[in-house]
């Protein structure tokens, strides 16, 4: 009986997601592009912002703007409270144990660079190995290459199969007691693959290696719990989860963050400064030198509250259905090759159409009011793996509809006619 | 098709993109250069034979979008028999046609012959780099530069 009622409850929550109603929360979606209603299918590049986030930014600058952590006056108190409350919102969203484990950064890229520059420089030595996967974004490749070059360590790459899936057995073979850290994305931006990160992390730990998860493409689509995953670091960007640009998060386990040296020196990251000796501040401020991006951190908190209100279970179920519909409809077009056909995928449909260059497709679609990404998606090794120079990529959010997919399909048919 | 798209993807451009002319490597070229458009991954290599300041032969290899392929193809067609100075002037006029301000007194493609087919690119700022890649590569080939030309 109890099991039945749970099922019913989930089903109700799933049907409760009304994309048309949610669309009205996003003012930017209500516009014409080249004389046609906008269809925004570039959510893996950046998501649009709900009215609540835009209002929060305006409210902050109109009412509360002040510097944080210097709080003798009322405005500074308000700014500090809102800034720190947003941190707590992020902490709960990620299932982290404490708000001190949540470091504000500029985005996923800076979060990963913070780990390579701080933890990496202090812990990686010549002869050590770092593992990444063949489906990483450049931001989870280049910082590790730079670290390896500096330290004389070796970067090893876990291959993927033709569906764009992480090859777990190959991963097992590459792990050894030389492996210091494993860094993989939770969801691939170019392929949409959802990686088995819990298993990846568990196995890394068996070899005494740490695990960093790049969650940039995951947090807007999947529930994440960093304690259940047991990851050592988790990174994401606000702007990919309906928040402002210029702010992101690094989660790290407290013991690791405590032991790591600060990356940047300056205000806010210190307890006391003399010309002889500086005492660094406690977590999380040790890693937040200078006046932070206060308004956008507050905006991120509001964006996460918005996502929580819609519900990630409902979002996941809705988007899975939409992706399946899009895969069937787009896949049925003559000459389509879908790049990334993993069993577990989230919200990304990458493809090529006959001999038409994705850049030409992007231009034709743009004139139909449809925004997609055409290019290498900052994942050139993925393009090389699939022997394509570029792909066209449609990526979805909960405010996209089957109508959007139908418009995409019609525009792709038009492109076929033009280049027939 | 909307008229902008018709202007951009004219029959001549589609034709040249599918069957590029002067496509293939050249033995013992006098000048050569590589061009690369990192934004969309367009790559091409250009070869030239020049005698007494006159372009005797020009060929290219590479892969790219319809605009960059057609642009390289039409360019190689047009350049044969031109002097190096004429080629440089053509590039200037071509560049002005697709990036310069609209002048109602002047027909934008005047003096460009079939290169005027690319006039529609001016309505697509994101595609200017595609249309000019071959020309930038030509410039660096004639300048004897050995570095790959990038549109970035």
């Amino acid at each position: 009986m109890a099991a039945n009622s749970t099922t019913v409850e989930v089903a109700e929550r799933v049907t409760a997601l009304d994309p048309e109603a949610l669309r009205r929360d996003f003012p930017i979606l209500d516009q014409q592009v080249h004389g046609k209603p906008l269809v925004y299918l570039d959510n893996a590049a950046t998501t649009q912002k709900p009215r609540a986030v835009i209002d929060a930014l305006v409210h902050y600058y109109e009412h509360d703007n002040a510097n944080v952590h210097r709080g003798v006056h009322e405005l500074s108190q308000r700014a500090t409270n809102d800034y720190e409350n947003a941190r707590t919102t992020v902490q709960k969203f990620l299932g982290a144990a404490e708000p001190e484990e949540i470091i504000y950064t500029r985005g996923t890229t800076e979060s990963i660079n913070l780990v390579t520059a701080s933890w990496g420089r202090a812990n990686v030595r010549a002869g050590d190995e770092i593992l990444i996967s063949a489906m990483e974004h450049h931001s989870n490749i280049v910082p590790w290459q730079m670290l390896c070059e500096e330290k004389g360590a070796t970067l090893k790459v876990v291959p993927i199969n033709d569906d764009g899936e992480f090859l777990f057995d190959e991963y097992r073979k590459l792990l050894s007691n030389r492996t210091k850290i494993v860094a993989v994305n939770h969801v691939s931006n170019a392929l949409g693959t959802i990686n088995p990160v819990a298993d990846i992390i568990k196995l890394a730990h068996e070899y005494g290696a740490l695990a960093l998860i790049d969650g940039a493409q995951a947090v807007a689509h999947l529930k994440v719990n960093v304690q259940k995953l047991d990851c050592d670091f988790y990174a994401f960007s606000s702007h990919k989860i309906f928040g402002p640009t210029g702010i992101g998060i690094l989660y790290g386990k407290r013991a690791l963050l405590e032991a790591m040296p600060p990356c940047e020196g300056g205000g806010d990251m210190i307890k006391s400064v003399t010309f002889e000796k500086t005492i660094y501040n406690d977590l999380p401020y040790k890693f937040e030198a200078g006046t932070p991006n206060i308004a956008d951190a507050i905006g991120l908190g509001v964006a996460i509250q918005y996502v929580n209100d819609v519900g990630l279970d409902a979002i996941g179920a809705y988007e899975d259905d939409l992706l399946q519909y899009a895969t069937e409809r787009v896949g049925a077009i003559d000459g389509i090759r879908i790049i990334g056909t993993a069993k577990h995928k989230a919200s990304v449909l990458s493809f090529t159409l006959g001999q038409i260059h994705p850049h030409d497709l992007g231009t034709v679609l743009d004139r139909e009011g449809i925004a997609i990404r055409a290019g290498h998606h900052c994942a050139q090794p993925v393009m090389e793996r699939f022997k394509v120079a570029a792909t066209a990529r449609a990526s979805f959010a909960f405010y996209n509809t089957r109508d959007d997919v139908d418009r995409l399909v019609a525009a792709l048919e038009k492109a076929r006619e033009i280049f027939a | 098709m909307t008229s902008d798209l018709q202007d951009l993807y004219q029959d001549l451009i589609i034709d040249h993109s599918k069957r590029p002319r002067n496509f293939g490597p050249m033995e013992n070229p006098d000048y050569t250069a590589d061009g690369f458009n990192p934004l969309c991954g367009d790559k091409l290599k250009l070869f030239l034979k020049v005698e007494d300041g006159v372009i005797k032969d020009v060929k290219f290899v590479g892969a790219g979008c319809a605009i960059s392929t057609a642009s390289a193809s039409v360019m190689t067609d047009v350049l044969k028999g031109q002097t190096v100075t004429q080629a440089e002037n053509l590039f200037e006029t071509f560049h002005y046609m697709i990036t310069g301000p609209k002048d109602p007194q002047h027909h934008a493609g005047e003096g460009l012959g079939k290169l005027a087919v690319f006039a529609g690119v001016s309505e697509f700022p994101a595609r200017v780099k595609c249309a000019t890649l071959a020309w930038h590569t030509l410039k660096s080939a004639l300048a004897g530069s050995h570095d790959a030309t990038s549109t970035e």
Side-chain angles (χ1 to χ4, degrees), chain A residues 357 359-360 363 367 419-420, chain B residues 4 9 18 40 66 123-124 127:
Chain A
H357 193 283
H359 218 200
D360 294 311
T363 292
R367 292 290 144 154
F419 296 99
Chain B
D4 277 355
Y9 292 114
K18 287 185 166 173
C40 46
E123 295 299 324
F124 296 79
R127 306 307 298 274

Side-chain angles (χ1 to χ4, degrees), chain B residues 4-136:
Chain B
D4 277 355
L5 278 180
Q6 261 161 355
D7 287 346
L8 181 68
Y9 292 114
Q10 297 194 34
D11 289 346
L12 185 80
I13 291 180
I14 300 284
D15 178 52
H16 274 262
S17 74
K18 287 185 166 173
R19 297 186 303 113
R21 322 297 198 264
N22 310 305
F23 190 83
M26 181 190 288
E27 302 226 332
N28 306 318
D30 296 316
Y31 297 94
T32 178
D34 292 296
F36 181 46
N37 178 353
L39 183 69
C40 46
D42 293 344
K43 272 182 201 169
L44 68 87
K45 191 175 185 71
L46 195 67
F47 312 91
L48 291 134
K49 273 200 202 306
V50 178
E51 275 173 36
D52 301 328
V54 176
I55 297 169
K56 290 289 178 194
D57 196 14
V58 49
K59 296 184 82 172
F60 77 105
V61 294
C65 65
I67 303 297
S68 77
T69 305
S71 176
S73 174
V74 175
M75 180 190 85
T76 52
D77 255 1
V78 167
L79 285 182
K80 281 186 217 174
Q82 304 275 335
T83 66
V84 169
T85 313
Q86 282 170 328
E88 283 163 357
N89 290 340
L90 272 177
F91 181 25
E92 237 171 73
T93 316
F94 181 79
H95 202 260
Y96 188 82
M97 173 181 75
I98 57 179
T99 60
K102 288 253 158 59
D103 181 356
Q105 302 299 316
H106 262 86
H107 175 55
E110 218 167 64
L112 281 174
K114 67 179 169 185
L115 288 171
V117 77
F118 291 97
V121 175
S122 65
E123 295 299 324
F124 296 79
R127 306 307 298 274
V128 167
K129 285 178 181 177
C130 311
T132 54
L133 176 64
W135 290 91
H136 283 294

Side-chain angles (χ1 to χ4, degrees), chain A residues 105-173:
Chain A
T105 65
R106 278 193 297 132
T108 309
T109 299
E110 188 174 85
S111 297
I112 296 171
N113 277 278
L114 194 161
V115 173
T116 59
S118 172
W119 176 86
R121 284 213 181 111
N123 291 281
V124 174
R125 315 245 176 281
D128 286 344
E129 293 177 358
I130 291 166
L131 291 192
I132 60 171
S133 88
M135 66 177 106
E136 298 308 316
H137 187 281
H138 294 163
S139 62
N140 200 27
I141 301 173
V142 183
W144 301 109
Q145 279 177 331
M146 290 161 67
L147 177 64
C148 285
E149 198 165 314
E150 183 182 319
K151 294 290 182 180
T154 305
L155 188 66
K156 296 205 159 178
V157 182
V158 180
I160 56 177
N161 66 17
D162 290 343
D163 289 321
E165 291 170 317
F166 185 87
L167 289 172
F168 209 85
D169 288 340
E170 299 297 322
Y171 169 53
R172 196 187 304 270
K173 283 185 218 160

Side-chain angles (χ1 to χ4, degrees), chain A residues 122-246:
Chain A
N123 291 281
V124 174
R125 315 245 176 281
D128 286 344
E129 293 177 358
I130 291 166
L131 291 192
I132 60 171
S133 88
M135 66 177 106
E136 298 308 316
H137 187 281
H138 294 163
S139 62
N140 200 27
I141 301 173
V142 183
W144 301 109
Q145 279 177 331
M146 290 161 67
L147 177 64
C148 285
E149 198 165 314
E150 183 182 319
K151 294 290 182 180
T154 305
L155 188 66
K156 296 205 159 178
V157 182
V158 180
I160 56 177
N161 66 17
D162 290 343
D163 289 321
E165 291 170 317
F166 185 87
L167 289 172
F168 209 85
D169 288 340
E170 299 297 322
Y171 169 53
R172 196 187 304 270
K173 283 185 218 160
L174 286 170
L175 276 164
S176 76
N177 57 11
R178 289 185 299 278
T179 313
K180 292 294 277 191
I181 191 165
V182 175
V184 293
N185 56 29
H186 198 162
V187 173
S188 155
N189 74 308
L191 302 167
T193 310
I194 301 174
N195 279 315
V197 286
D199 295 337
I200 292 170
I201 295 160
K202 190 160 175 275
L203 197 58
H205 287 167
E206 283 175 23
Y207 284 83
L210 299 187
L212 175 145
I213 306 300
D214 165 2
Q217 295 296 336
V219 286
H221 309 290
L222 311 171
K223 263 192 178 161
V224 174
N225 185 306
V226 290
Q227 287 191 85
K228 279 189 192 149
L229 286 176
D230 196 27
C231 58
D232 300 289
F233 300 106
Y234 196 97
F236 76 90
S237 299
S238 155
H239 75 97
K240 298 215 198 266
I241 182 165
F242 316 106
T245 52

